[in-house]
Amino acid sequence: MNLLQEIKKSRPFVIAGPCSAETEEQVHSVLKDIAQDGKTAMLRAGIWKPRTRPNSFEGLGELALPWLVAAGKENNLPVTTEVANAKHVETALKYSVDVLWIGARTTVNPFAIQEIADALKGVDIPVIVKNPVNPDLMLWVGAFERLQQAGITQLAALHRGFSIYKHPKYRNIPNWEIPIALREELPDIPLLCDPSHIAGKREGLLEISQKAMDLNYDGLMIETHPNPDAAWSDPAQQVTAKGLNDLLNNIKLRKEELSEEELSFIVVMREKIAGLDDRIFSLLADRMKMAEEVGVYKRENDITILQQEHWRKVIATRMDQADNLHLTSQFVRSIMDAIHQESIRHQTKVMNPGLKG
Ligand code: PEP
Ligand code: MN
């Protein structure tokens, strides 16, 4: 199959199937139900499961591979499974799995990615690469580069969020800016979203899927199980085939192409926004000039750049305003931190003219 062409054909390109293959009957029944709705383009099942703690269910391994492959054939859909080392690759190729995916705990490790890339030399099978567990764009980019160097031409990215300690809403925090930056770096690689692992619970799937489609993602991977609450792995986030169908029916697909009229409205608004950006940056430049004047004064009077107590008050004042301005406190905090860093850089320059920094 040509993954890139298939992804272009259907938006969203949906991959669905259980977190783990558990029994032959489970794999066959859920993949058949999924395929019957006609909305899913590829079937998934985890065969080797990377689990955080030992003694969790770690997948059935090779035993379950023929079940997945047979279900693909019966339903006339390509199948995909996760590989994490050269042995997995060799076994998946032996059973003619159509597409491989690399999990988040593997993308994080360049040695493991290189091992997989080496095992794939000379086999141009499509590979889907999940983001690394930590929010490091270049590790993700590096994985694509290693696979490209091994001759893999059909690659897709799968955004599953980033590890976080006890978040009230997400199992893995999305950090949408990272996949957006990936698309800037690698514009030809299709981008898919895995709302199941971002949300960690089925109630969160619609919101995340909708957002992904509004950000022009090409597709979705949704964990689907015949009896989610009894699943051997990830029970809270899986949906039934009926749940998958409802979810896909509820996603609004908005267009990227604009009519003349829509375009003219948006062009005017974009110009107004660009005007605001001009003002913001010219104010920032003025602010930095003022910081330099303060720097000259501090230099002449031997005063340190940072007055911790003053800075604490500056931050507190702005944070108090965040709500009234309808801005999130994280946004206000990161803007203020960026301004402060730049201001320190300007003051350092005037206070220590001889030092490079
Ligand atoms: C999975 O898709 O079942 C999986 C293990 O995902 P991740 O690598 O995103 O944790
Ligand atoms: Mn899972």
Side-chain angles (χ1 to χ4, degrees):
M1 69 156 322
N2 185 315
L3 179 67
L4 304 181
Q5 278 172 14
E6 293 299 313
I7 290 180
K8 273 207 191 98
K9 268 198 243 158
S10 43
R11 185 169 182 280
F13 181 86
V14 177
I15 306 173
C19 177
S20 307
E22 296 167 4
T23 65
E24 188 165 10
E25 162 58 19
Q26 172 245 14
V27 171
H28 279 266
S29 68
V30 71
L31 296 186
K32 182 163 163 251
D33 289 348
I34 291 169
Q36 257 168 7
D37 285 327
K39 294 193 172 83
T40 295
M42 190 182 290
L43 302 172
R44 67 155 273 161
I47 302 290
W48 298 281
K49 300 302 300 173
R51 305 309 300 279
T52 304
R53 308 272 307 271
N55 309 324
S56 312
F57 172 60
E58 296 194 322
L60 297 175
E62 185 167 349
L63 166 73
L65 258 187
W67 307 341
L68 172 64
V69 172
K73 290 219 170 74
E74 277 158 31
N75 296 295
N76 206 16
L77 286 175
V79 297
T80 182
T81 198
E82 172 171 352
V83 291
N85 59 37
K87 183 86 182 96
H88 296 164
V89 170
E90 191 190 305
T91 314
L93 293 177
K94 184 168 95 188
Y95 287 89
S96 306
V97 169
D98 302 284
V99 173
L100 306 177
W101 96 71
I102 297 179
R105 291 167 195 74
T106 307
T107 311
V108 85
N109 179 354
F111 287 133
I113 294 288
Q114 192 57 51
E115 178 183 323
I116 293 171
D118 289 342
L120 284 172
K121 276 209 179 101
V123 197
D124 194 6
I125 187 172
V127 182
I128 300 173
V129 184
K130 287 201 175 196
N131 64 258
V133 277
N134 57 329
D136 183 338
L137 172 65
M138 284 306 146
L139 263 181
W140 203 2
V141 171
F144 286 107
E145 289 169 343
R146 285 175 198 278
L147 291 161
Q148 278 165 337
Q149 281 174 13
I152 304 294
T153 58
Q154 299 176 60
L155 290 162
L158 181 49
H159 170 216
R160 53 75 84 191
F162 302 88
S163 288
I164 176 106
Y165 180 64
K166 283 194 184 155
H167 193 279
K169 183 162 176 190
Y170 301 112
R171 175 176 174 195
N172 290 294
I173 194 159
N175 286 344
W176 295 97
E177 67 283 7
I178 296 179
I180 291 170
L182 180 84
R183 212 164 31 188
E184 292 284 311
E185 289 280 331
L186 303 169
D188 298 329
I189 292 189
L191 178 60
L192 314 172
C193 181
D194 170 351
S196 307
H197 288 89
I198 293 177
K201 42 187 188 296
R202 56 188 78 92
E203 296 72 29
L205 296 180
L206 178 59
E207 183 191 319
I208 296 163
S209 307
Q210 183 65 57
K211 177 145 184 182
M213 296 325 291
D214 286 340
L215 291 172
N216 289 332
Y217 278 52
D218 300 283
L220 301 167
M221 181 190 260
I222 314 272
E223 285 190 339
T224 309
H225 190 281
N227 180 7
D229 287 333
W232 298 3
S233 58
D234 292 350
Q237 70 195 32
Q238 301 202 60
V239 287
T240 58
K242 157 103 178 47
L244 172 71
N245 195 8
D246 291 345
L247 171 72
L248 295 173
N249 282 336
N250 283 319
I251 297 173
K252 257 205 195 80
L253 283 182
R254 298 181 170 104
K255 56 187 190 290
E256 196 185 352
E257 304 290 313
L258 308 175
S259 70
E260 288 282 315
E261 187 189 330
E262 291 161 342
L263 187 64
S264 56
F265 172 77
I266 287 183
V267 165
V268 171
M269 290 308 288
R270 282 185 183 153
E271 274 165 14
K272 286 190 188 165
I273 290 172
L276 287 179
D277 287 347
D278 284 344
R279 280 167 54 199
I280 292 172
F281 279 95
S282 122
L283 282 171
L284 284 172
D286 288 350
R287 192 191 188 287
M288 295 308 155
K289 273 192 215 112
M290 235 171 245
E292 287 184 12
E293 279 174 41
V294 174
V296 171
Y297 184 83
K298 286 181 181 168
R299 180 183 69 208
E300 284 165 0
N301 295 282
D302 270 340
I303 304 169
T304 60
I305 293 181
L306 182 62
Q307 263 82 52
Q308 198 70 49
E309 185 51 23
H310 167 69
W311 182 243
R312 205 191 52 73
K313 281 189 199 140
V314 172
I315 291 270
T317 311
R318 297 298 150 200
M319 299 290 274
D320 284 348
Q321 292 173 336
D323 246 12
N324 279 345
L325 295 171
H326 304 294
L327 300 172
T328 62
S329 50
Q330 296 98 300
F331 175 70
V332 172
R333 177 80 216 201
S334 49
I335 293 275
M336 289 309 289
D337 283 342
I339 291 176
H340 192 219
Q341 284 306 310
E342 184 67 7
S343 172
I344 288 178
R345 208 177 60 73
H346 281 262
Q347 290 193 36
T348 308
K349 195 176 67 187
V350 294
M351 289 178 77
N352 306 290
L355 294 181
K356 292 211 172 92

